[in-house]
Structure formats: C-alpha cells, structure tokens
Amino acid sequence: ISALLVVFATVCSCKTKQEILEDKVKQLTEWSNRRTVIQMNTNKFSTYVKTKPRNYSTIVMFTALDSKRGCSVCREANDEFTILANSYRFSPAYSNSLFFVMVDFDDGSEVFQSLGLNSAPAFMHFPAKGKRKGADTYDIQRLGFHADNLAKWMSERTEVVVRIFRPPNYTGTVVLVLLFSLAGGLLYVRRNSLEFFYNKTFWSIVSIFIVLAMTSGQMWNHIRGPPYYHRNPQNGAIHYIHGSSQGQLVAETHIIMLIHGAIVAGFIMLNEAHHPKADISKRRDSILYSSDQMFYSRYGLATPKEQIPYKLHFYGYWRTCLGCFLSQLTHVHFPTKVPRLSLQLPS
Amino acid sequence: RLFSVLRFESVIHEFDPYFNYRTTRFLAEKGFYDFHNWFDEMAWYPLGRIIGGTIYPGLMVTAAAFYNVLHYLNLTIDIRNMCVFLAPLFSSFTAIVTYHLTKELSNSGAGLVAAAFMAIVPGYISRSVAGSYDNEGIAIFCMLITYTLWIKSVKTGSIFWSVLCSLAYFYMVSSWGGYVFLINLIPIHVLACIVTGRFSHRIYVAYTTVYCVGTILSMQISFVGFQPVQTSEHMGALGVFGICQIVSFVAYLKSKLSAAHYAIFWQALYYLNLWVYNINVQYIFTISIAGKIAPWTGRFYSLLDPSYAKNNIPIIASVSEHQPTTWSSFYFDLQMLVFLFPENGISNFFCDLFQFQYFNHLKMFLTIPPYQVRLMLVLAPVMAVLAGIGVNHILTTFMKNLDTVVVKDKKGLESAISSFIFSTHTPMTNICINYPQISTGVVLLVSVLLSLFASHSVWVTSEAYSSPSIVLSARGGDGGRIIFDDFREAYYWLRQNTPENAKVMSWWDYGYQITAMANRTILVDNNTWNNTHISRVGQAMASTEDKAYEIMRELDVDYVLVIFGGLTGYSSDDINKFLWMVRIGGSTDRGAHIKESDYYTPTGEFRVDAEGSPVLQNCMMYKMCYYRFGQVYTEQSKPTGYDRVRNAEIGNKDFELDVLDEAYTTEHWIVRIYKVKDLDNRG
C-alpha cells in the first residue's frame, strides 16, 4: 500500500509539476506576446526564473533605468537588448523555450543582492537544465552591450541563433527629403526670378553659417555625440562646459557659436560701416559690437586670476589653450593616446 | 619656429622626420640614382623595403639640393642642420607666396597682412618648427604657389603661366600625398565657372594645359605611378577636362553657325549627349567592375563621411591625428582668424565680380570641414588669406579718416560720442568722418587684436609646438628645467657597442629612430605596411619567455629595446602601449593563443600591481620593463618598485631573466636594452 501511495504521490506531484510548468510557460508566452522583454519584480523573478521546474531558459538583463539612478549606459543597453529580443521574436528560431526578462533595480533590489550584483547593466543566462556556469554571465566589460555581441553570446549559451535585425533609421532620409522638397518648393515658387541664386549675399550667409557650425565643433558633436549638458550626480549642479580639454558638451558649442556669430557680425558691420550706403545705426552697432569683441579676445589671454569674474567665457578659452596643448602633444602616431609627456620628478 | 633649437639643440623631432633625415643623408651622399634604386635591408628584417618607390621624394630632393648648392659655394653646412632648418626656411617662402596670392586676389595691402598672418598662425607653425622635417613642411609652400600660379594663369590665359602652374603642381605631388586636394579643387573651380556662366577661353587654356601637363608630370613620381588615371580620387579632374572640351566645342560652333542652324544642332546634340552619357556610364561601370579604377580609399571615405572611420576602420580611427576637431582646437590654432575670415564673404559683395574670386570662396568652402586635426594645416593658409583681406579692408577704410578733420574742442567730441552711443534721436550723419576719434578707436581696437594674436601665437609655439619629443624636459623641484636625453644615450650606445649587423627588436614606434641614430637593423618601423610582421613582434612581447625566445630565434633578434617610464613618470612608454601589442599580436593566425582578456584582471582592469593578471606578470614585456625595478625606491613613503606612471607597486618583483641579459639601461631608465642569449652549449 505504501508503495502504491508513493507511486501515486509521485504521479500526483508529477502531474502538478507538469501543470505548473504549463502554467508558467503559458503565462510567460502571454507576457512576451505583449512585450518581448518581460519586466519582473522580485517575486515574479523567483517564481519564473529561479524556481526549478522549468523547461525554458531565460536571458535576464539587470538594469537601473530610473532617471534618478543616472545610468545612461543602461538606457543604451536596454535599447540593444530590446533589439535582440525583437529580432528573436520575429526570427524563425522563435519558440517558447527562451524568454527575455528584465529586472530593474528599483523593482527587485533583493534579486540584485541574492545574485551579488553591484553594477548595472548586467546580462545573465538561466539555463533550463543544470546549474549556471561562469560563462552564463555575459562579460560586459570586454564585449560591450552591442546587440550583435549579445546574440553571439546567446547562441553560444542557448544554441539559438538569431540574426540581429535593426529597425532602419529613417531620420537621415526624412531630413534629406524635407530639405530637397524645401529647396525644390522654393525654386518652384520663385521660378520666375532665379536671380537670388546668383546673389552673393545669399551664398555668403550660407557659407558663414557653415563656417560657424564647423568652427564651433558641431562636427565633433556629430561624430562623438556628447550629451547636451552634464549633471553632477552628487549635488545636482548642471555644467554646460566640459571639464576636460579633450571633450565638449553640445550646450558649450552652442554658446561658442553664438559668441563667434556675434563677433563675426561685429566685424562684418565694421566692414560695412564705412560703406556709403550703409545707414548710420549699423555703424553704431558695429562699434559696439567690436568693443564686445575686444573684451572676448582679452579674456582669451587673461591670466587665470583675472578670469574668475567672467567665468563662462574664459573658462572656455583658457581651457582651450591648456587643452589643445595636451591634445597637440598627443597628435602624432598611433593608438597610444596617452599624453606624450607628463613627467614627474623626484622631489 | 626656432624655440626648440634655442631651448634644446639642433635636433630632428618626433619619429617620421628621422626616416626623412636618414633618406636625405643617403641621397646627399650617394646621389639620386642610388637613392631611387635603394633597397633598404636595414628595415623590416628580413623583408627589407624598397625606399625609392614608396616615398614622396620632394622633401629629400629639396634638402639635398640646398645642401649641394651650399657646398658648391663652400658653405659647409651639416646635412642634419639643413634638415632641421628646412621647414622654417620654407615657411618664410610661404609667407612671400601668401603675399603674392593675396595680392592676386585683392590688393597688395591685403597681401601684406595675409603674409604676416601666415607667418605666425599656430596651425601652420605646428608643422614647420625647426626640426620638424616632414613632408607638410614644404607641401604648404607648394600648395600656395600652385594656387597663385593657377590664379595667374586663369587671369592671363597664357600657356606660360599654366605650365608654371603645372610645374608647381608637380612639385606638390612629389612632396605630399595631400596633392589630391589640389587636383580636386582646381576642377571644382572650373566647374563652378562653367555652371555660373563664367567660363572663358582663358580658363579653357589654363585648365587644359594644367591638367595635361600636370597629370603627365605627376605620373613621373614612382610612388604615384598610374594612380592619376586609375583611382577615383583623380576621376573628377578627368571628368571636368572632358566637360571643358564639350563646352568650348559647343561655344565654337555657336560662333560659327547661324541661329537657325544652331537650334537644329542643339537638338541633335541633345540626343547625342544622351547617347554619350549612356556610353560613359556603361564604360565607367564596366571598368570599375573590372577593377581598373581603384575604389576610394578608406581615408577618403572618412573625409566625406566622418563616421565612416569610426564604424569601419578602427586603425584609421585610432590614429589621433584623425580625431575630429573640437571648437577649442580651432581657437587654439587659429585664434582670431576664426572670427576674421568669414567677413570676406560679405565684403566681396561690394567688390566687382571677378572669376578668381569664386576660387577664393571655393577654397573656403572646401577646406571648411577640417574635422580631422591634421587638416587644420590646410585650413590655416586659407584663413590667413581671407582674414588678411578682411583686416586690410577695415584698416584702409578707417585709416583714411584718422586725420582728415581737426576736432574743435574736447567737449563737443564727448557729447558727440555720448549721443552717438546712447541716443537715437540725434541725427548722426557723418559722425565717423567728423570725429576721427572714432576711426582712431577702431584702428586701435584692430591693432590691439592683432598684437594679441601675435602674442597668442608666440605663446602657443613656445608651449605646445616646440618640444622635440626625442629629448624630454621637465620642471624639477626647484623650478629649473631638467633634460632627459635617454633616447639618444641608448641609441648611441647601440651604435658604439653592438656588432654592425645586429638586429634590434622594438615596438614599431621607435623603428625610424633606431635605424637613423643607432644605424642598426630593425624588424618593424613606422611605415606599418606589413601587419603580420608587426603582429609577430607583438606576439614576442606578449608571450612568456620560452615562447618569446622561439620567436626571437626565428627572427634572428640580437637585442631587444623597450621604453619604460615607471621611474620618471614618462607616460607614453611600452607598458601603456602594451595592450595594442597584445591586440595586434593576437590579430593573426599565429598569435591566436594570445587573448586580450588574459591580460586583464577578472574585473576587466589592466593592472601591473599584485592584483594584476598572472599572464601579464609573466610576459616578456613586463619582465623586460620591470627587471630589477623591484629593488628601487622611486618615491618617498612608497615601497620599492613603485611605478610612477601607473601609480602602483608592481606585483612581480623577484624574478630573473632566463633567455635575456640586461645589456644597457639609460640614466633615467627610460630605455632598456637586453641582449638575447645564445643557445645553450649542450653539445
């Protein structure tokens, strides 16, 4: 009887196990249909990812997306992870044996503790069978969080091969189309008098604008993509000017562009001021402008002591000098991006 | 430009100039034909390098010519001094040429101002200080003289000036790869003239001559060879050449035909054109498929699309010269010219139109996006010319009024100025002319700006561009200047104490210097043409001693040279470059066992202290740098073996070298040389 009971019990538990498993998979599939990356808190995580009976594996991203955590990398990593999850969702390899899960620190700090995680973002793989191995934790330090690398790691761990499909970026095309249609529209509207096309002032203004954009480092912004401004996480102070000489913030370049624009305008007016046709108010402006300009230039070479009251302008200009000094020192040769020479001597 | 000579001595700077110096010496001693056929077996052992066919010889030929002429006149100048002072000499020529160029574009006053700007603009000084013996030093001169002669030939339409222009172009081609700028800029100017209806016989004659003669001449440089007719960079010029012929042919027919006939002809031409276009497209398509026209090179792509390099070619992106430019480096290199040059665009509005003024604009347009640091060099002359024209315009207009009217009394002036500035309702006609003080103010202001510009340039030159990097200097505790001459000490030691056919292994940065100064054979140098060979050296540096010994035996290495900054705090030493050796070493098949991750701590850091990776602490580079370093005190209150660059106490202090003997270590330990032991006498 006891043997029967035992058999019965095991059958029973097996059944319930089976049922639990089915329930879990069903639930997870439902969630993942709603959003490819399933967001979980501590409870859900322990039931669906940690607790044993399961025939599916999960890829989990641990992250801290709340803006007050100030983790800008997490947002980028999240985008990449979503791309990976979406690519999986629409790939032929899709099945209900692999799920993508995300745990935010603010929802599941206990999970972070139990796994001994002290940095975010982190990616882990929880296999369906067996224990987790070292390689089940993705090495983000070395591999970065690019979706392609994630997919490679995933295929190593789960044998699910996914081709990353990125939603194409249409902004460039849209802007180009807009620009062309604007130009075309302008030409169409003005088709009867195309003289403006030969107008030198028009071209001058265009070229000056391009020059200003370039000299204020917009190309650098385009390539490096710095943030608009920088917020100090400790005291919340906002910096518009980059602390180091090798970088710049977008706000900073806009300020510089304005200053340069004003100075250039001053010079142009100075040039124009003496032209017989120019009216007198322009002349006055030009004189004012150019005196402005003199101040700027003076600051540019002011000694650090003098700089303090006019912090904004010269902080920029002065740092420029120092900064470029360093950057020029490193300008030659190869990867060695360390400063060429920073000697310290025995005292 | 002579700061570095005054402060240090007459030495060649950096790395590449050492190669140029060595080849110049060869040329001066052996003559041009030997130079042209020179196969250099001292570099890239055991491969060697064909020098004559892989360099732009303009620089060396120029220096050697000066040298020979001076010797003919019994002025026995040393070839090294010729090389050191060539760039400053040529920058003075550049100033003269700038004067003529600006004079052609505007007037002689503007020319004078522009020449003064050109003489001191830091963006140009950076490449023309004494000792900076590199192609750019003379290339800017060539570029400007080609511009000048081109404008001259467009103005006159004479074949004489056009041929002179193509000769200047030939000189430019022979001295710098940047000639591609010229061969694209001139056609674009011509094209702009055609589009705006300013095409004339003069331009036709000038361009046709310059293109034909210039192209044929440029093909005489063996490094350029058939590129002008085969690569995409040069195809624009060819296309414009064709368009020129068609346009002038049509104009010729128009002048010969009656209006009715011309209309018929025009229709025919329309269909003909379609047909020709079709053929052309097919032709270009076929030959590019067939590989006759080389595709654009990666560097050129990165000029057009700045993010190209970042995404596709890490080796180009990693070179710091190819970094994009921040606004601050614009200001640093051009200072006030940044504000001065755009105004020319407006001031031209008042001038009469001439064809060549378009050229000016174009030049501005084309050189505007120097989002790479090194292109600042090309931008600087343009800025100088444009700013020269602008400043000259301001000065001449306001100078005129300085003493036309004598002011009656002081009070009147003050009220006039205050009304000028603060009130709007006073009628203010001719205030500028009535009160020369305003003109005085403007002139004063401009002079203050100009003097600030001059002092900025001097300061920049002295602080940033005058360190030779082969001799290091630092401020000591008492504020005095301390000179570290370790590099030359080590190279001289090699020269004196090693057999003449010894092979020295070092990382490629120091290749040119070792061949030039120590006169010993090296494995790899700064002309990084063979990646697998560099990779082999990287593998030797990154392997354990026994593995490295195999590689060194295979490559016949006798001495190994490493740069170590841990004692002095010289931060661009080999340990800081080491990760690149690992990466490059691991990038080929034979180095597959070298994995970058092995050299990091488990948390992904690169550390030399006790927590660092054991693989790192047992590799050749680590051992060669830190051999015996564990017994040295470097800083007060720090333990022995404290590395002052990495700010850490080294992790592996007690070890002996099995396959190497320490041969020489310089005074400040910056250069350390090891001798590779022979095989054991096992019998």
Side-chain angles (χ1 to χ4, degrees):
Chain A
I1 287 167
S2 63
L4 259 176
L5 263 176
V6 168
V7 168
F8 184 73
T10 44
V11 168
C12 233
S13 70
C14 268
K15 250 191 179 173
T16 47
K17 238 183 190 174
Q18 205 70 40
E19 272 168 19
I20 289 170
L21 207 57
E22 272 167 23
D23 276 358
K24 275 162 88 172
V25 171
K26 210 173 142 198
Q27 184 68 50
L28 281 170
T29 321
E30 197 185 309
W31 278 332
S32 73
N33 281 342
R34 225 174 291 155
R35 273 182 71 184
T36 45
V37 178
I38 309 163
Q39 191 152 10
M40 287 193 173
N41 56 20
T42 315
N43 287 337
K44 278 184 191 167
F45 182 80
S46 53
T47 12
Y48 289 99
V49 181
K50 288 291 267 199
T51 321
K52 211 54 230 218
R54 54 173 201 261
N55 56 359
Y56 51 86
S57 54
T58 46
I59 305 269
V60 189
M61 173 177 67
F62 301 93
T63 187
L65 285 178
D66 198 334
S67 59
K68 70 171 186 282
R69 299 273 164 216
C71 174
S72 57
V73 189
C74 295
R75 216 154 292 144
E76 289 168 42
N78 186 33
D79 292 341
E80 294 290 315
F81 191 63
T82 318
I83 286 172
L84 176 68
N86 284 335
S87 308
Y88 170 66
R89 177 74 183 76
F90 298 108
S91 76
Y94 177 70
S95 67
N96 54 5
S97 62
L98 175 68
F99 294 99
F100 289 86
V101 174
M102 174 179 96
V103 180
D104 197 286
F105 181 75
D106 296 292
D107 296 335
S109 53
E110 293 90 346
V111 181
F112 276 69
Q113 275 165 18
S114 66
L115 289 167
L117 281 172
N118 46 16
S119 70
F123 299 93
M124 284 186 189
H125 169 240
F126 291 85
K129 292 178 205 92
K131 290 202 81 178
R132 292 186 59 247
K133 296 185 195 74
D136 280 324
T137 306
Y138 178 74
D139 190 350
I140 198 164
Q141 294 282 354
R142 211 168 62 242
L143 297 169
F145 43 76
H146 203 260
D148 291 307
N149 291 351
L150 279 169
K152 214 168 140 197
W153 168 72
M154 189 177 97
S155 66
E156 275 166 19
R157 302 315 309 162
T158 62
E159 284 158 6
V160 177
V161 181
V162 174
R163 224 179 102 244
I164 293 295
F165 176 75
R166 281 174 191 276
N169 191 355
Y170 290 116
T171 31
T173 330
V174 167
V175 166
L176 265 185
V177 166
L178 260 180
L179 214 74
F180 272 109
S181 53
L182 258 179
L186 200 73
L187 282 180
Y188 183 73
V189 170
R190 303 281 306 268
R191 67 187 176 282
N192 294 325
S193 56
L194 280 173
E195 273 89 57
F196 78 97
F197 205 68
Y198 293 102
N199 185 346
K200 287 193 90 181
T201 325
F202 170 70
W203 290 112
S204 303
I205 290 170
V206 169
S207 62
I208 285 181
F209 187 76
I210 296 174
V211 170
L212 286 177
M214 288 297 171
T215 51
S216 62
Q218 301 301 327
M219 189 50 84
W220 197 91
N221 292 348
H222 172 72
I223 296 175
R224 294 290 164 83
Y228 194 81
Y229 58 82
H230 177 71
R231 188 198 295 271
N232 189 333
Q234 264 96 49
N235 52 19
I238 293 177
H239 298 280
Y240 291 103
I241 291 172
H242 197 277
S244 110
S245 54
Q246 307 276 331
Q248 59 186 9
L249 298 172
V250 178
E252 179 183 352
T253 60
H254 289 167
I255 293 169
I256 291 302
M257 196 164 160
L258 279 180
I259 294 176
H260 282 190
I263 297 171
V264 164
F267 259 112
I268 288 169
M269 284 172 170
L270 253 189
N271 249 345
E272 219 174 320
H274 240 68
H275 197 265
K277 277 180 198 160
D279 71 4
I280 193 69
S281 62
K282 274 187 185 168
R283 257 179 242 178
R284 190 189 49 185
D285 286 353
S286 73
I287 307 288
L288 286 180
Y289 260 124
S290 23
S291 49
D292 270 3
Q293 192 226 3
M294 194 178 79
F295 282 125
Y296 288 130
S297 303
R298 206 176 77 77
Y299 298 162
L301 288 164
T303 58
K305 257 185 221 159
E306 282 175 279
Q307 285 173 25
I308 296 148
Y310 317 93
K311 206 171 171 186
L312 182 70
H313 307 153
F314 348 105
Y315 178 35
Y317 280 140
W318 188 251
R319 134 175 120 62
T320 303
C321 300
L322 288 175
C324 296
F325 170 49
L326 277 179
S327 69
Q328 286 305 325
L329 282 181
T330 58
H331 72 228
V332 195
H333 301 293
F334 205 47
T336 39
K337 277 174 73 183
V338 285
R340 171 69 48 74
L341 174 60
S342 68
L343 286 170
Q344 308 164 328
L345 284 176
S347 44
Chain B
R1 286 179 175 81
L2 304 185
F3 271 123
S4 59
V5 174
L6 298 178
R7 208 168 279 161
F8 300 94
E9 59 188 287
S10 166
V11 286
I12 310 257
H13 293 192
E14 307 273 339
F15 304 96
D16 284 18
Y18 270 96
F19 171 75
N20 299 332
Y21 167 55
R22 180 166 159 253
T23 46
T24 311
R25 216 170 46 196
F26 188 92
L27 176 62
E29 283 164 11
K30 303 265 172 72
F32 185 75
Y33 282 101
D34 278 347
F35 172 73
H36 191 70
N37 296 324
W38 185 15
F39 180 82
D40 180 16
E41 67 274 9
M42 280 178 62
W44 291 95
Y45 181 86
L47 308 169
R49 176 187 174 187
I50 303 160
I51 299 276
T54 55
I55 53 165
Y56 291 103
L59 180 74
M60 298 91 191
V61 171
T62 311
F66 270 103
Y67 173 79
N68 286 332
V69 167
L70 288 176
H71 273 253
Y72 181 73
L73 298 173
N74 286 329
L75 292 168
T76 52
I77 185 175
D78 183 24
I79 185 76
R80 179 174 51 87
N81 283 326
M82 195 60 242
C83 295
V84 167
F85 291 104
L86 191 75
L89 178 71
F90 263 82
S91 51
S92 57
F93 293 160
T94 310
I96 296 169
V97 170
T98 312
Y99 167 74
H100 285 286
L101 174 64
T102 321
K103 199 176 129 197
E104 292 295 327
L105 294 170
S106 177
N107 55 34
S108 56
L112 219 50
V113 182
F117 281 151
M118 195 59 212
I120 57 171
V121 61
Y124 179 45
I125 288 187
S126 69
R127 293 314 177 83
S128 62
V129 291
S132 166
Y133 180 58
D134 214 343
N135 291 332
E136 289 95 330
I138 65 168
I140 295 300
F141 165 77
C142 308
M143 197 167 78
L144 287 183
I145 200 167
T146 317
Y147 285 159
T148 314
L149 290 169
W150 166 246
I151 286 164
K152 195 91 184 167
S153 47
V154 167
K155 265 181 163 179
T156 58
S158 84
I159 292 183
F160 172 70
W161 287 112
S162 313
V163 169
L164 280 188
C165 177
S166 28
L167 282 177
Y169 172 68
F170 171 62
Y171 191 32
M172 174 78 190
V173 176
S174 74
S175 54
W176 195 35
Y179 75 89
V180 178
F181 269 115
L182 280 176
I183 198 60
N184 283 305
L185 199 104
I186 291 175
I188 289 173
H189 175 217
V190 174
L191 195 65
C193 287
I194 292 174
V195 169
T196 52
R198 284 164 213 285
F199 189 68
S200 68
H201 289 298
R202 291 196 302 264
I203 297 187
Y204 177 74
V205 170
Y207 184 66
T208 315
T209 318
V210 168
Y211 180 73
C212 294
V213 180
T215 304
I216 290 171
L217 282 177
S218 67
M219 286 161 76
Q220 307 310 310
I221 306 292
S222 48
F223 192 35
V224 176
F226 278 88
Q227 278 181 31
V229 289
Q230 280 183 339
T231 56
S232 312
E233 285 98 325
H234 300 79
M235 283 301 127
L238 181 62
V240 172
F241 180 70
I243 292 172
C244 265
Q245 309 307 320
I246 294 172
V247 168
S248 45
F249 180 63
V250 170
Y252 172 75
L253 284 182
K254 193 177 180 181
S255 69
K256 295 287 173 193
L257 291 173
S258 67
H261 282 137
Y262 182 70
I264 298 172
F265 165 72
W266 187 245
Q267 264 188 343
L269 194 74
Y270 178 72
Y271 292 110
L272 189 79
N273 256 359
L274 271 186
W275 184 66
V276 167
Y277 177 75
N278 230 335
I279 298 259
N280 264 352
V281 166
Q282 279 175 6
Y283 174 70
I284 289 176
F285 191 70
T286 334
I287 56 179
S288 29
I289 293 270
K292 286 287 180 203
I293 293 185
W296 305 90
T297 53
R299 282 186 191 210
F300 210 84
Y301 271 126
S302 66
L303 277 181
L304 298 175
D305 173 20
S307 20
Y308 179 81
K310 193 175 112 189
N311 298 333
N312 296 304
I313 344 168
I315 195 86
I316 289 185
S318 68
V319 178
S320 40
E321 261 185 352
H322 296 151
Q323 299 305 313
T325 332
T326 57
W327 70 266
S328 42
S329 46
F330 275 107
Y331 184 80
F332 188 73
D333 273 351
L334 301 165
Q335 217 239 3
M336 150 184 134
L337 303 188
V338 170
F339 318 126
L340 279 175
F341 86 114
E343 79 195 86
N344 186 48
I346 293 286
S347 70
N348 261 5
F349 178 56
F350 299 106
C351 305
D352 295 328
L353 269 181
F354 284 112
Q355 289 149 345
F356 50 86
Q357 269 166 345
Y358 272 97
F359 188 63
N360 214 355
H361 276 264
L362 268 172
K363 238 169 40 169
M364 188 164 92
F365 261 124
L366 280 181
T367 41
I368 276 160
Y371 31 74
Q372 295 183 356
V373 171
R374 65 184 292 174
L375 292 190
M376 194 69 85
L377 183 71
V378 185
L379 180 69
V382 183
M383 293 286 223
V385 168
L386 295 178
I389 295 173
V391 169
N392 174 59
H393 191 249
I394 294 175
L395 281 181
T396 40
T397 44
F398 281 93
M399 282 282 207
K400 271 183 211 147
N401 299 323
L402 278 185
D403 40 34
T404 42
V405 178
V406 179
V407 182
K408 283 130 203 162
D409 61 321
K410 208 180 168 188
K411 207 179 166 192
L413 173 72
E414 271 170 6
S415 67
I417 288 181
S418 61
S419 71
F420 178 81
I421 293 173
F422 297 110
S423 76
T424 46
H425 47 76
T426 330
M428 288 172 292
T429 43
N430 291 336
I431 278 187
C432 273
I433 291 155
N434 283 341
Y435 293 99
Q437 274 76 3
I438 288 173
S439 293
T440 315
V442 173
V443 171
L444 193 73
L445 178 90
V446 174
S447 349
V448 167
L449 284 180
L450 292 178
S451 53
L452 283 178
F453 177 50
S455 61
H456 170 84
S457 303
V458 172
W459 176 79
V460 167
T461 312
S462 138
E463 293 298 316
Y465 296 134
S466 292
S467 49
S469 94
I470 184 127
V471 184
L472 311 170
S473 83
R475 298 262 174 222
D478 56 349
R481 195 182 286 272
I482 298 180
I483 304 282
F484 295 86
D485 209 355
D486 287 36
F487 286 103
R488 293 197 296 174
E489 183 188 339
Y491 297 146
Y492 202 66
W493 185 89
L494 274 177
R495 194 189 189 101
Q496 296 295 319
N497 297 288
T498 58
E500 256 178 48
N501 59 355
K503 284 102 194 162
V504 183
M505 179 170 89
S506 76
W507 191 234
W508 59 262
D509 291 19
Y510 313 102
Y512 279 165
Q513 292 182 348
I514 296 173
T515 34
M517 296 174 79
N519 200 20
R520 292 293 172 267
T521 307
I522 45 137
L523 300 179
V524 289
D525 68 23
N526 309 43
N527 177 30
T528 51
W529 60 274
N530 187 332
N531 203 26
T532 49
H533 209 55
I534 296 183
S535 167
R536 203 76 185 126
V537 173
Q539 287 157 27
M541 300 291 194
S543 308
T544 52
E545 268 191 87
D546 41 348
K547 283 252 179 60
Y549 191 61
E550 284 168 24
I551 299 177
M552 289 189 296
R553 294 295 306 179
E554 173 196 320
L555 294 172
D556 270 355
V557 178
D558 298 310
Y559 290 89
V560 188
L561 180 146
V562 291
I563 308 295
F564 172 62
L567 189 79
T568 46
Y570 172 61
S571 62
S572 56
D573 66 351
D574 277 349
I575 295 278
N576 275 358
K577 292 173 185 175
F578 183 59
L579 282 177
W580 285 100
M581 302 182 202
V582 173
R583 274 172 212 154
I584 293 172
S587 67
T588 52
D589 292 343
R590 299 182 77 180
H593 60 282
I594 292 174
K595 293 193 187 60
E596 195 183 336
S597 54
D598 296 342
Y599 295 84
Y600 292 111
T601 59
T603 52
E605 287 169 286
F606 180 71
R607 301 176 69 149
V608 296
D609 58 11
E611 286 170 41
S613 127
V615 179
L616 170 70
Q617 301 196 353
N618 286 303
C619 74
M620 275 278 292
M621 178 50 77
Y622 188 94
K623 284 190 168 177
M624 285 193 291
C625 282
Y626 291 123
Y627 179 61
R628 292 198 299 114
F629 188 62
Q631 299 140 29
V632 182
Y633 280 105
T634 54
E635 244 172 72
Q636 277 177 0
S637 71
K638 292 283 195 281
T640 56
Y642 184 78
D643 186 324
R644 304 178 70 197
V645 174
R646 267 67 57 176
N647 287 327
E649 184 189 348
I650 57 167
N652 189 359
K653 281 185 188 174
D654 272 332
F655 57 85
E656 280 301 319
L657 291 165
D658 298 328
V659 298
L660 297 172
D661 278 326
E662 185 182 3
Y664 190 71
T665 295
T666 56
E667 188 184 352
H668 304 99
W669 288 43
I670 290 181
V671 185
R672 308 195 70 179
I673 300 169
Y674 293 87
K675 187 175 187 339
V676 181
K677 280 184 191 166
D678 279 337
L679 285 172
D680 288 336
N681 268 333
R682 277 190 305 177

